[in-house]
Each structure stands twice: as structure tokens, then as C-alpha cells.
């Protein structure tokens, strides 16, 4: 279906840079929107700031040998590092998104259609739980605490499902209060100390899992808002040759001439009097459209909130972008000649000292997972919170040095020199500025949520937010529930006011699947459908 231009203008103007829909970003949300529009024959264009599609999906080979004489060895790498070449089938890592969370979603369907999935699933937090004095924590007790923490967090989910008005201050306060009750039942002082140390590991794990700085920032009220679609939360589906294979498959569904790379958007200008949007790139090229779908990460939106949009976004959108949480997690891949850890499925770190200020950035690492599937001689360290940000201030060599020292301390072994490594730096990436979103306690306080962020900004919204126009437009925007009851002229005015100008898409914009790849993809599809549905009316 070819959709008529709602403003009655041609799909081209004198510059050749005029389309019906502009999509900002060629990540999963942008590609989701593009595939939907492509299927209708709609004119659209994707502007991608980086040199390749994928956004927070990045499958690659690790850096060169640590012993390399490359004079640039000690510089800080970034996600756009030229040394990060595309992966081979035998030695790849996913520096960004790694898994599909469950199989009942659009993205899993596409992965199955193109035969991209591995038969192996992944789990986190496996292996030996080693304390910094070298002692291994009893496996039975580890599993007992893990089960208890799981029960408490499941109980926290009821606040979202039952829409209660009396809810805990945060996920951390709820977790701590309930775990403290269990600690009170332990009579053995040594066992109680070990339980507290395991609790600290679970807090670190949840900080990483929720991409936050502190669990005290995560909403307990909305903890159960995320939907698993009836599946186990442990169902992590892997791609056989990396997540970027899915990006390639999606790009193949889109006319390649509709994707422009190295087009960093610096300004989006809208006008209520002329519902046409101008988008300026860093290379000074300007594109015009009737509708713009912005799929920039929430971290990027937070950074550019006051410079990118002219006029400024309506206050409710500004507040929502500020309130939804979005922090950083990083991955550190370390490859050895041989898997010296032998039969261990991983090495999880238990600290005796709970004062994070007495340690360096490595105190925020939860552990080192064995890559399964993936290179069997490779360990993956996860770091979150303040540690993820502090890590990015160091050179790769220093990061690896600190990790090797940490492994030596906990295993009480001499650790061989690595042969390859790769450190992600998502906070430093200007097109990402973090990892993924979470619902914060500020959302509770201000009544903000992804529901509002996913609502299109219309001509009426824009007009009412601009000083000097609000009174004038308020008098003329009494919209009847039944449009058939008004004359054609009135209906035309009403519909003009409802033109969706700016729509946000991405994982942070989805109410049920925030923080996930399939949530980002689906949000792009849903926002494109809103434009198509409007134009049909």
C-alpha cells in the first residue's frame, strides 16, 4: 500500500532529501520500523550515525595478541575500533547483545527462519564461587541462597501485577528487608557471614543484569512489569555465528539504498504551522520528512536532550527521558592458549570486605564465565555499576592486568598470560552512552514510564508545548469522540492536529520487553504501524 502524503506534497522536493518517514538509527528498532514500512511500499530513509548497522549489536573478533608490538597497543579502544574486524565462525564474541530472551517473539521467528540459532542455551553465574582468600563456598549453600534470592525477587513482582499503592522504596530495600529476616534465623555466625557475602554477589549480579548504578535506583513497584511470555527467565538463546547475523538478515529485507551510514543526526526541527520535519546531520546535510522515528538509545537521548530537538520536546517527554534509568555494563573477553580452569564452568567472585571504596573498579565484577557456546579457551568478565564507568578510563592493557591479578588472588594460582583480549566501552560510545534501560524509582515518583515515551508527539502536542501558542490551540482542540459527527472541514483540522510528527522507538520504549533486543525490534514495528494506521484514516 502506497500511503498518500498527509500534507498533499510530493514525496520529493528540490533537494531530493524529502521522504515520508525518516528513521534515525539502524539498530534493531530502526530495522524493525524499516521492515514494516518496506512491506507496504512506503517511502522511508534510515540515517545511521555509525559506519555499520546494528547499534548495540556488535559481533567481532577480539583484539590482537597481547604481546603484539603494535605501538597503539595501550590506547583505549572503542566500539568503532578498526581492529575489531568482523567475526569468523570459529572465534567470535558478541561485544553487545548476546542472547534472545525466550522464543515467543518476532526476532526469534526471524532467527529461526534464517537458521541462525545455536542449539546451545546459556546460563549465568555458573561455576565455583571462590572467596578472595581462595576458599570455595559450599555448592549446596550457594544454591540455597540463590533459590532464596529468587523467591524474594519473584515476590517483588506482585506489586506490578496487583497495581498496589503501598510498595517498597526500591528493589534493594525489598531484597535487603526480606533477606535480613532469613539472616536472623541463622545461629551459626560463620554461616551468617557467608550468607551476607553471597548476598553481596547477588546484588552485584542484579546491578549488572539491570544496567543500573545501584539497586536502590530500581523500582520495586514496576519490578514485575517485564513480561517473560510464560517462559523461563533463564532461557538465553544463542546465535550460531553471533548476533550480527540477525542484523545482516534484517538489512537484506530492506532496500540498501534506503540506509545511509555515517549520518550522525545533530538536530531535529519541527513546526506546528507547517507539519514537516527537518533533520540535520553532522555533515550539514538536511533531510525532510512528514514523520520521524527516533531510535537513538536512551543514553544518547539523555546526552543530547537539550541540543537535538527544536523546539524542545514537551515537558512530559523530557521528564520521562530523564527518569527512565539507563546505565552501563561492560564485557571483558580474555582468551588463553588453553583453558587452565579445567572442569570449572566459571569463577564467581565472593569478597570478604563489603566496602566498595576500599577496592578498585574490579570490585564491581560479578565473575568470569566460561564462553559456552563460543571459544572454549575464553573467559568473559561482567562489570557494572561505577566499575563499568571507571574501567573505561583505563587502557586495555591495564584492564587485563587487573583482571589477571584478580583471578590469581581468588584461585591462588599462577595465571598464564592471555593470547587475546577485548574490552567493551559502551559508555564512551557517543551513539550509545550505556547499555540498556530499567524502570527507576524516579519513574514511581513522577508517574513517568515507557508508555508515555512510546506515544507519538503530534502537531497538537508540539503546539501546546510552545510558549505563546498554548492558549490559542487549547481553544481549538476540543476533539469529539465521534469524528463522524463533525463536518469535513472540522474533521480535517482535527486530523491535522493528530499528525504523528516524532515517534520514539527502542528497548526503553517498550512496556513489557524493555532492556531486550526483541523489545527494541518490536517497538520499531509498532511505531511504524502507528504512522501507517494514521495515514489510512
Amino acid at each position: 500500500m502506497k500511503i498518500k502524503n498527509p500534507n498533499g506534497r510530493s514525496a520529493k522536493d528540490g533537494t531530493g532529501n524529502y521522504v515520508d518517514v525518516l528513521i534515525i538509527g539502524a539498530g534493531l528498532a530502526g530495522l524493525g520500523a524499516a521492515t514494516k514500512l518496506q512491506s507496504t511500499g512506503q517511502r522511508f530513509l534510515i540515517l545511521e550515525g555509525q559506519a555499520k548497522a546494528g547499534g548495540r549489536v556488535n559481533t567481532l573478533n577480539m583484539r590482537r595478541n597481547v604481546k603484539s608490538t603494535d605501538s597503539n597497543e595501550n590506547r583505549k579502544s572503542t566500539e568503532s575500533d578498526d581492529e575489531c574486524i568482523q567475526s569468523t565462525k570459529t572465534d567470535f564474541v558478541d561485544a553487545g547483545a548476546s542472547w534472545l530472551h525466550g522464543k515467543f517473539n518476532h526476532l526469534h521467528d526471524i532467527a529461526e527462519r534464517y537458521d541462525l540459532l545455536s542449539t546451545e542455551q546459556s546460563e549465568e553465574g555458573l561455576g565455583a564461587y571462590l572467596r578472595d582468600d581462595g576458599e570455595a563456598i559450599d555448592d549446596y549453600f550457594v544454591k540455597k541462597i540463590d533459590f532464596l534470592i529468587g523467591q524474594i525477587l519473584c515476590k517483588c513482582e506482585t506489586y506490578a501485577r496487583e497495581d498496589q499503592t503501598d510498595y517498597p522504596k526500591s528493589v534493594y530495600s525489598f531484597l535487603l528487608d526480606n533477606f535480613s529476616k532469613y539472616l536472623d534465623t541463622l545461629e551459626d555466625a560463620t554461616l551468617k557471614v557467608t550468607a551476607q557475602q553471597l548476598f553481596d554477589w547477588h546484588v552485584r549480579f542484579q546491578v549488572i543484569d539491570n544496567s543500573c548504578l545501584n539497586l536502590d535506583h530500581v523500582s520495586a513497584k514496576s519490578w514485575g512489569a517485564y513480561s517473560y511470555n510464560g517462559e523461563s527467565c533463564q532461557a538465553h538463546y544463542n546465535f550460531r555465528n553471533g548476533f550480527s547475523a540477525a542484523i545482516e538478515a534484517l538489512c537484506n529485507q530492506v532496500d540498501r539504498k534506503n540506509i545511509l551510514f555515517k549520518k550522525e543526526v545533530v538536530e531535529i526541527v519541527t513546526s506546528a504551522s507547517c507539519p514537516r520535519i527537518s533533520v540535520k546531520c553532522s555533515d550539514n546535510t538536511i533531510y525532510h520528512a512528514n514523520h520521524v522515528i527516533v531510535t537513538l538509545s536512551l543514553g544518547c537521548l539523555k546526552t543530547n536532550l537539550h541540543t537535538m530537538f527544536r523546539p524542545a520536546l514537551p515537558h512530559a517527554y523530557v521528564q520521562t527521558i530523564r527518569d527512565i534509568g539507563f546505565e552501563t555494563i561492560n564485557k571483558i573477553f580474555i582468551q588463553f592458549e588453553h583453558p587452565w580452569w579445567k572442569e570449572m564452568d566459571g569463577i564467581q567472585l565472593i569478597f570478604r570486605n563489603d566496602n566498595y571504596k576500599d577496592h578498585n573498579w574490579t570490585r564491581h565484577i560479578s565473575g568470569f564465565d566460561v564462553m559456552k557456546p563460543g571459544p572454549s579457551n575464553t573467559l568473559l568478565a561482567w562489570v557494572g555499576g561505577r566499575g563499568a564507568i571507571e574501567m573505561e578510563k583505563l587502557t586495555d592493557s591495564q584492564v587485563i592486568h587487573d583482571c589477571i591479578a584478580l583471578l590469581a588472588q581468588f584461585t591462588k594460582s599462577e595465571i598464564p598470560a592471555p593470547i587475546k583480549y577485548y574490552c567493551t566501552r559502551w559508555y564512551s560510545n557517543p551513539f550509545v552512552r550505556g547499555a540498556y534501560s530499567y524502570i527507576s524509582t524516579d519513574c514511581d515518583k513522577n508517574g513517568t514510564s515507557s508508555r508515555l515515551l512510546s506515544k507519538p508527539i503530534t502537531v497538537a502536542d508540539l503546539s501546546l508545548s510552545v510558549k505563546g501558542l498554548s492558549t490559542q490551540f487549547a481553544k481549538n482542540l476540543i476533539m469529539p469522540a465521534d469524528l463522524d459527527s463533525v463536518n469535513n472541514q472540522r474533521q480535517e483540522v482535527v486530523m491535522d492536529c493528530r499528525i504523528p510528527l516524532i515517534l520514539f522507538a527502542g528497548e526503553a520504549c517498550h512496556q513489557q520487553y524493555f532492556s531486550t533486543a526483541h523489545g527494541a525490534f518490536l517497538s520499531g514495528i509498532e511505531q511504524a504501524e502507528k504512522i501507517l494506521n494514521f495515514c489510512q484514516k
Side-chain angles (χ1 to χ4, degrees):
M1 174 188 64
K2 190 81 170 181
I3 294 180
K4 181 182 177 182
N5 184 323
N7 298 321
R9 291 187 289 268
S10 167
K12 288 187 178 181
D13 66 1
T15 66
N17 290 342
Y18 186 11
V19 293
D20 289 317
V21 184
L22 270 177
I23 301 171
I24 313 301
L28 283 166
L31 292 174
T35 54
K36 182 63 183 180
L37 295 173
Q38 180 90 28
S39 67
T40 66
Q42 180 70 17
R43 281 181 54 84
F44 68 91
L45 190 65
I46 301 179
L47 302 178
E48 168 55 50
Q50 301 188 86
K52 62 184 181 66
R56 282 165 272 176
V57 174
N58 191 18
T59 305
L60 42 79
N61 278 331
M62 290 184 292
R63 289 191 60 188
R64 296 168 60 90
N65 194 304
V66 172
K67 298 178 182 178
S68 169
T69 56
D70 184 351
S71 61
N72 290 326
E73 180 197 23
N74 290 322
R75 67 181 172 80
K76 299 174 187 176
S77 65
T78 68
E79 294 309 311
S80 59
D81 194 332
D82 290 338
E83 291 185 46
C84 304
I85 59 175
Q86 290 301 305
S87 70
T88 65
K89 291 184 178 181
T90 57
D91 192 19
F92 71 84
V93 294
D94 274 314
S98 303
W99 305 308
L100 285 178
H101 297 276
K103 60 183 179 180
F104 300 126
N105 60 75
H106 289 64
L107 209 49
H108 188 278
D109 293 343
I110 289 172
E112 273 198 327
R113 186 189 314 159
Y114 289 95
D115 192 25
L116 303 179
L117 296 175
S118 167
T119 56
E120 295 182 85
Q121 292 186 26
S122 293
E123 288 188 50
E124 302 166 272
L126 299 179
Y129 283 66
L130 303 181
R131 201 157 51 198
D132 51 14
D133 59 0
E135 181 179 340
I137 309 299
D138 176 68
D139 186 56
Y140 174 79
F141 194 60
V142 168
K143 291 179 179 176
K144 182 176 181 179
I145 297 299
D146 179 71
F147 180 76
L148 176 62
I149 296 290
Q151 281 188 315
I152 295 172
L153 292 177
C154 281
K155 183 180 177 183
C156 192
E157 293 178 8
T158 61
Y159 291 100
R161 290 197 295 266
E162 297 174 6
D163 195 25
Q164 299 182 29
T165 56
D166 184 20
Y167 51 85
K169 172 188 171 184
S170 67
V171 167
Y172 180 74
S173 65
F174 184 80
L175 188 57
L176 180 61
D177 288 347
N178 282 270
F179 192 77
S180 295
K181 295 174 183 176
Y182 166 74
L183 288 178
D184 291 340
T185 67
L186 296 178
E187 297 179 357
D188 188 306
T190 301
L191 204 59
K192 181 176 290 191
V193 169
T194 302
Q196 289 173 320
Q197 292 167 352
L198 286 169
F199 177 80
D200 173 76
W201 181 89
H202 279 278
V203 170
R204 262 179 291 140
F205 179 88
Q206 290 297 334
V207 164
I208 293 169
D209 201 43
N210 290 278
S211 188
C212 61
L213 288 180
N214 192 308
L215 274 187
D216 239 345
H217 299 162
V218 181
S219 167
K221 176 185 178 183
S222 300
W223 181 252
Y226 178 83
S227 172
Y228 294 104
N229 279 341
E231 297 182 273
S232 167
C233 60
Q234 302 301 321
H236 299 334
Y237 292 87
N238 292 282
F239 288 86
R240 187 169 55 251
N241 297 320
F243 212 134
S244 287
I247 298 298
E248 183 67 20
L250 290 170
C251 285
N252 288 337
Q253 294 184 25
V254 177
D255 192 331
R256 292 298 180 115
K257 72 175 186 295
N258 288 346
I259 309 179
L260 301 182
F261 295 102
K262 294 187 177 180
K263 289 289 185 180
E264 179 183 2
V265 171
V266 295
E267 193 174 63
I268 300 174
V269 182
T270 51
S271 170
S273 59
C274 176
R276 173 174 169 178
I277 309 163
S278 298
V279 174
K280 183 179 179 181
C281 297
S282 58
D283 61 3
N284 290 321
T285 53
I286 297 177
Y287 299 84
H288 305 286
N290 300 317
H291 318 279
V292 172
I293 301 177
V294 180
T295 73
L296 301 175
S297 77
L298 189 67
C300 193
L301 287 176
K302 287 175 182 285
T303 302
N304 300 289
L305 185 57
H306 297 296
T307 60
M308 181 171 286
F309 300 95
R310 290 182 45 210
L313 296 174
H315 174 73
Y317 291 84
V318 172
Q319 190 66 53
T320 301
I321 290 170
R322 287 173 177 167
D323 288 349
I324 297 177
F326 190 91
E327 303 299 343
T328 304
I329 59 175
N330 276 309
K331 299 179 181 181
I332 304 163
F333 299 92
I334 312 176
Q335 190 170 94
F336 300 87
E337 192 72 50
H338 303 289
W340 52 265
W341 47 88
K342 298 179 182 178
E343 300 301 319
M344 286 191 292
D345 290 327
I347 299 166
Q348 308 305 324
L349 308 180
I350 305 299
F351 291 87
R352 286 173 293 174
N353 189 333
D354 62 359
N355 189 346
Y356 283 63
K357 293 182 180 179
D358 292 344
H359 297 75
N360 69 2
W361 67 274
T362 58
R363 182 63 174 84
H364 297 266
I365 294 176
S366 60
F368 295 81
D369 294 340
V370 176
M371 291 284 289
K372 290 183 180 179
S376 60
N377 59 342
T378 304
L379 293 178
L380 164 58
W382 296 84
V383 56
R386 297 287 179 189
I389 298 173
E390 292 301 315
M391 184 210 92
E392 296 192 23
K393 299 176 182 177
L394 307 174
T395 64
D396 284 358
S397 295
Q398 184 62 54
V399 169
I400 300 304
H401 175 273
D402 290 350
C403 286
I404 296 301
L406 198 67
L407 286 166
Q409 176 187 3
F410 279 77
T411 63
K412 301 304 177 186
S413 304
E414 184 176 344
I415 309 300
I419 59 172
K420 290 181 182 178
Y421 57 80
Y422 182 75
C423 309
T424 69
R425 282 183 162 78
W426 290 108
Y427 183 74
S428 302
N429 187 321
F431 299 99
V432 182
R433 296 295 186 193
Y436 47 77
S437 65
Y438 65 92
I439 303 176
S440 73
T441 52
D442 286 337
C443 293
D444 297 340
K445 180 173 64 177
N446 297 319
T448 51
S449 71
S450 54
R451 178 192 293 272
L452 186 141
L453 195 58
S454 64
K455 179 181 177 292
I457 297 176
T458 65
V459 172
D461 295 325
L462 179 66
S463 301
L464 289 168
S465 70
V466 177
K467 284 186 177 181
L469 294 180
S470 58
T471 304
Q472 175 188 350
F473 271 77
K475 292 178 180 178
N476 296 312
L477 287 179
I478 304 172
M479 298 184 183
D482 183 5
L483 292 179
D484 293 333
S485 65
V486 297
N487 59 45
N488 292 336
Q489 183 179 5
R490 178 61 174 162
Q491 182 170 330
E492 190 172 315
V493 170
V494 170
M495 291 303 290
D496 280 347
C497 291
R498 290 180 176 177
I499 294 173
L501 297 178
I502 298 175
L503 303 92
F504 292 102
E507 52 83 18
C509 302
H510 206 282
Q511 288 179 263
Q512 294 176 287
Y513 310 128
F514 52 89
S515 81
T516 66
H518 68 270
F521 184 65
L522 182 58
S523 76
I525 294 174
E526 291 175 345
Q527 296 299 67
E529 286 175 341
K530 290 175 184 177
I531 293 174
L532 296 172
N533 291 338
F534 170 82
C535 293
Q536 282 181 325
K537 293 178 182 178

